[in-house]
Amino acid sequence: MKLSSIALRLMKAPLKRPFKTHLETVTEREVIIVEAKNQDGMTGYGEAVPFSSPWYTEETVKTCFHVLEDFLIPKTLAFDLKHPNELAGLWSGIRRNAMAKSALEQAIWDLYAKQEGIYLGKLFGGERTEVDAGVVIASDRIEDALRQIEESLEVGYRRYKIKINPTNDLEFLTQIRNAYPDIPLMVDANSAYSLQDVPHLQKLDAFNLMMIEQPLGHDDILEHSLLQKELKTPICLDESINSYHDAKSALMLKSCGVITIKMAKVGGWSQAVKIHDLCVEHGVPLWCGGMIEFGISRAHNLALATLQGFTIPGDISSSSRYWESDIIEPEVIVKNGVIQVPYKTGIGFKINKKRLDELTSYRNVYK
């Protein structure tokens, strides 16, 4: 590969409806778009998806931009890169900063797949022609949550994730199960509980849940292994899984029955695929997590979800759920609960450059 330039864009847009958890309410989404160009003028795209403040991870949009601009991009452009597999070793001296690494790696893998004339998912053995889609219901009002479920049922989503905390969980789940007794339902706690809440969490076993996502500390693996022994419902780890080592530790300690992989959070394609292969080897089901992203990150997640281990519908909803207009063409569409895999080269979607320019507040090119 011969990279001629790498560009960074800051862009943002308001969400169509607020995304509410007990940690934060997101009304506007800001991201960084990475554009990697080769000497033939072909461009690959990646998307950095930290939030503007460090409520979910320690990375923010500002810190991510800094690491990309001052460390990752100069190191990458100065290196005679022959294959994207070399990036992990090249960046090994830069600790953590997974979302910055993921965005740049995404762009370079997209470019490489386009050069090879192949769909990105197929580079890693992805074979699915359609991907089951799940949806996140994030509201602090049960009336709004029920309305979102009703709207999503019309689209046919195949899994419903409800944001919960100790003050609303039993009320929310009771009303949801009374209204929709048979929908495939899971809950996401975003670390709202502690081991002192074991008797309370055991009450959730009665609601026939697919899983309870990240009930304990955001960086915990050990205590989840203790909690899982007390619950019939499988625990799913999300925030705790930031690397291959984290996933391996969780499996060794039997801390969970399910793992979600967020490509951005684990550092990109290489780490995500490595974790996928580990979970397949151990028979642990996977699903692909989302970050309230725009179409470029959504397209990368869709390609990842074509791999065999992703047997549970992921957080890959229609573009229209969050945005009046997305930055890819065509937009991601969920129909009858599935997304058709594009199988064009690279991420499989064209970039809506007019919309991208409209949302861009700053752009810089590095050579």
Side-chain angles (χ1 to χ4, degrees), residues 10 12 19 21-32 48-65 99 265 291-292:
L10 284 174
K12 62 182 177 181
F19 186 90
T21 73
H22 74 282
L23 296 171
E24 186 76 6
T25 296
V26 181
T27 59
E28 184 178 64
R29 191 69 167 102
E30 182 181 24
V31 301
I32 303 166
V49 291
F51 291 98
S52 300
S53 62
W55 67 271
Y56 182 74
T57 67
E58 67 275 17
E59 284 183 86
T60 67
V61 171
K62 284 186 177 180
T63 66
C64 195
F65 197 97
M99 291 188 175
K265 197 161 60 64
M291 291 286 296
I292 322 176

Side-chain angles (χ1 to χ4, degrees), residues 3-14:
L3 295 174
S4 63
S5 67
I6 296 171
L8 296 180
R9 291 177 183 259
L10 284 174
M11 57 163 281
K12 62 182 177 181

Side-chain angles (χ1 to χ4, degrees), residues 222-354:
L222 177 59
E223 290 189 351
H224 279 99
S225 72
L226 303 177
L227 176 61
Q228 182 65 92
K229 295 175 184 177
E230 305 297 328
L231 300 179
K232 296 177 182 178
T233 306
I235 289 173
C236 172
L237 289 184
D238 171 16
E239 286 94 329
S240 296
I241 307 300
N242 298 299
S243 67
Y244 174 84
H245 177 75
D246 289 341
K248 184 178 180 181
S249 298
L251 296 184
M252 290 179 67
L253 291 171
K254 298 182 180 179
S255 301
C256 59
V258 182
I259 281 180
T260 174
I261 296 179
K262 289 180 177 173
M263 183 188 301
K265 197 161 60 64
V266 302
W269 270 99
S270 299
Q271 280 289 306
V273 172
K274 192 176 177 183
I275 295 169
H276 164 272
D277 294 347
L278 176 72
C279 289
V280 169
E281 178 185 345
H282 285 79
V284 174
L286 291 164
W287 55 278
C288 186
M291 291 286 296
I292 322 176
E293 58 265 297
F294 292 89
I296 291 171
S297 179
R298 197 174 301 264
H300 280 278
N301 287 344
L302 178 61
L304 180 64
T306 64
L307 276 63
Q308 63 169 326
F310 290 93
T311 57
I312 299 172
D315 287 342
I316 312 175
S317 54
S318 296
S319 295
S320 60
R321 178 166 178 79
Y322 294 121
W323 316 116
E324 292 296 341
S325 179
D326 207 342
I327 58 174
I328 57 169
E329 295 176 328
E331 296 188 352
V332 173
I333 298 173
V334 177
K335 186 175 182 180
N336 298 323
V338 300
I339 303 168
Q340 297 300 317
V341 176
Y343 280 123
K344 297 177 182 176
T345 62
I347 58 173
F349 295 85
K350 292 182 179 180
I351 304 301
N352 183 338
K353 293 183 179 179
K354 178 180 178 183

Side-chain angles (χ1 to χ4, degrees), residues 33-329:
I33 302 300
V34 181
E35 305 165 356
K37 185 174 290 189
N38 68 10
Q39 293 178 333
D40 296 326
M42 191 176 290
T43 305
Y45 293 89
E47 182 178 334
V49 291
F51 291 98
S52 300
S53 62
W55 67 271
Y56 182 74
T57 67
E58 67 275 17
E59 284 183 86
T60 67
V61 171
K62 284 186 177 180
T63 66
C64 195
F65 197 97
H66 160 57
V67 170
L68 281 163
E69 182 176 54
D70 293 335
F71 298 100
L72 293 173
I73 290 176
K75 187 175 283 288
T76 303
L77 289 175
F79 183 72
D80 183 18
L81 185 69
K82 294 181 174 60
H83 193 281
N85 280 335
E86 299 173 304
L87 293 172
L90 176 64
W91 299 338
S92 61
I94 300 171
R95 297 286 180 90
R96 298 184 182 273
N97 292 286
M99 291 188 175
K101 291 178 179 178
S102 177
L104 183 50
E105 194 193 57
Q106 284 176 18
I108 293 173
W109 273 113
D110 179 32
L111 176 60
Y112 179 78
K114 287 172 178 172
Q115 290 179 177
E116 296 297 305
I118 189 172
Y119 177 62
L120 184 53
K122 283 192 171 183
L123 277 178
F124 300 96
E127 296 180 348
R128 288 193 174 89
T129 58
E130 60 183 27
V131 168
D132 290 345
V135 70
V136 183
I137 308 298
S139 176
D140 56 2
R141 296 175 59 250
I142 184 60
E143 297 83 5
D144 183 48
L146 290 169
R147 184 169 59 253
Q148 288 186 48
I149 292 173
E150 184 177 1
E151 293 171 357
S152 301
L153 281 167
E154 295 176 3
V155 182
Y157 282 100
R158 300 192 174 183
R159 189 225 67 206
Y160 296 80
K161 181 167 83 171
I162 313 299
K163 296 286 187 177
I164 61 165
N165 62 68
T167 65
N168 72 8
D169 51 7
L170 297 178
E171 177 193 359
F172 266 48
L173 290 173
T174 297
Q175 294 202 42
I176 289 169
R177 274 302 184 215
N178 285 341
Y180 305 105
D182 300 319
I183 61 171
L185 187 66
M186 63 173 287
V187 294
D188 184 4
N190 290 117
S191 307
Y193 301 83
S194 72
L195 280 180
Q196 294 179 343
D197 296 311
V198 168
H200 183 85
L201 286 166
Q202 288 174 327
K203 296 177 183 178
L204 303 187
D205 283 335
F207 293 98
N208 188 29
L209 301 173
M210 299 172 69
M211 67 195 84
I212 301 173
E213 183 179 350
Q214 201 72 32
L216 306 180
H218 70 92
D219 56 355
D220 173 73
I221 293 175
L222 177 59
E223 290 189 351
H224 279 99
S225 72
L226 303 177
L227 176 61
Q228 182 65 92
K229 295 175 184 177
E230 305 297 328
L231 300 179
K232 296 177 182 178
T233 306
I235 289 173
C236 172
L237 289 184
D238 171 16
E239 286 94 329
S240 296
I241 307 300
N242 298 299
S243 67
Y244 174 84
H245 177 75
D246 289 341
K248 184 178 180 181
S249 298
L251 296 184
M252 290 179 67
L253 291 171
K254 298 182 180 179
S255 301
C256 59
V258 182
I259 281 180
T260 174
I261 296 179
K262 289 180 177 173
M263 183 188 301
K265 197 161 60 64
V266 302
W269 270 99
S270 299
Q271 280 289 306
V273 172
K274 192 176 177 183
I275 295 169
H276 164 272
D277 294 347
L278 176 72
C279 289
V280 169
E281 178 185 345
H282 285 79
V284 174
L286 291 164
W287 55 278
C288 186
M291 291 286 296
I292 322 176
E293 58 265 297
F294 292 89
I296 291 171
S297 179
R298 197 174 301 264
H300 280 278
N301 287 344
L302 178 61
L304 180 64
T306 64
L307 276 63
Q308 63 169 326
F310 290 93
T311 57
I312 299 172
D315 287 342
I316 312 175
S317 54
S318 296
S319 295
S320 60
R321 178 166 178 79
Y322 294 121
W323 316 116
E324 292 296 341
S325 179
D326 207 342
I327 58 174
I328 57 169
E329 295 176 328

